[in-house]
Amino acid sequence: MQDTCEAVRLLGKRIGFVPTMGYLHEGHAALIRRARQECDCVVVSVFVNPAQFAPTEDFSRYPRSLDHDMHVADEAGCDYFFTPESPEMYPEHFSTYVQVENLSSVLEGTFRPTHFKGVTTVVAMLLLIVHPQKAYFGQKDAQQSIVIQQMVRDLHFATQIVVVPTVRETDGLAKSSRNIYLSQRERADAVVLFQALCKAEEMIASGERTSQKIVGAMTQMVTSKPNVAIDYISVVDALTLDLLETLKPGMQVLIPLAVRFGATRLIDNTRVTVPLHS
Ligand code: PAF
């Protein structure tokens, strides 16, 4: 892949890169389509990265479907499909990791302490292999995008990170490869996440500025469903991920959440600019 990308670059073409873990859905297709619009050549990788799963997580049962992925990627405008194998990415004696401090240890990092180290390590490797002008990530994984943007700045990668809006099912549930784990009942209940995020947006629009009240209202909605466990619902600064107690006019606020429905853990978020006048 390195040689192919080098040849593409020598032709003066701009490479757009969409790294994925496969089981592609409309959310991935939106990233690929955006890359297609903005670049001359689109590379999509599929690699289920073992380094970002803790031993207790779903690495071995993570859904895989390469033929389907090739079809989705192709339809959305992919030129090169890159499917490295684990020994290629993590050969024997592999011992170099990339870790973004602070941003990686809050929110998701509290519950998945090694997760972002795995993400940044593999994304750094992929960026070094592909050398894209632009790389595309989904807003659904808001913290991931923020961590990767920090890594790219800190390590002087010549890649622009583009964050693409979350694609949702018609009822509002964010598209995710993990949605297939949900039972019928859990799938119906999971829409409460989107409803809770909308509630937070409404509260801010109508003048609420106390995070605790916003989180309280969201928590009440989510816990009205059976069999749910909230890992976090937070109100944070959208750039630093610092917890916010009171919202100030003009602030960029991120409201991320992680909730387990039975054995399935879903994440979602909304980004809000606090109105200047309430
Ligand atoms: O968002 C994902 O699918 C993964 O975390 C990524 C960025 C492809 C790294 O493995």
Side-chain angles (χ1 to χ4, degrees), residues 15 30 34 38 52 77 79 113 118 138 158 168 178 200 225 238 241 264:
I15 300 179
R34 177 80 176 264
E38 298 181 351
Q52 68 189 73
D79 296 303
R168 298 183 178 280
R178 289 189 166 100
K225 302 294 175 190
L241 301 182
T264 306

Side-chain angles (χ1 to χ4, degrees), residues 19-22 28 45 47 49 52 62 115 118-119 122-123 126 137 141 144 148:
T20 80
M21 295 209 300
H28 299 106
S45 67
F47 178 61
N49 173 32
Q52 68 189 73
Y62 194 83
H115 172 67
V119 171
V122 82
V123 171
L126 291 167
F137 296 87
D141 298 301
Q144 168 170 281
I148 289 171

Side-chain angles (χ1 to χ4, degrees), residues 146-195:
I146 291 168
V147 167
I148 289 171
Q149 279 167 322
Q150 184 72 43
M151 174 190 81
V152 162
R153 272 197 302 276
D154 288 349
L155 300 184
H156 300 271
F157 278 92
T159 298
Q160 182 191 336
I161 303 301
V162 180
V163 182
V164 177
T166 303
V167 178
R168 298 183 178 280
E169 303 287 354
T170 44
D171 65 358
L173 178 69
K175 298 254 184 188
S176 164
S177 306
R178 289 189 166 100
N179 290 350
I180 56 146
Y181 299 152
L182 297 166
S183 69
Q184 220 175 348
R185 172 72 207 256
E186 289 164 348
R187 167 63 190 84
D189 288 346
V191 71
V192 75
L193 301 184
F194 177 63
Q195 291 164 349

Side-chain angles (χ1 to χ4, degrees), residues 101-121:
E101 304 209 326
N102 304 323
L103 290 173
S104 297
S105 53
V106 296
L107 302 169
E108 279 298 282
T110 312
F111 295 87
R112 306 180 73 193
T114 56
H115 172 67
F116 287 118
K117 179 178 169 189
V119 171
T120 41
T121 299

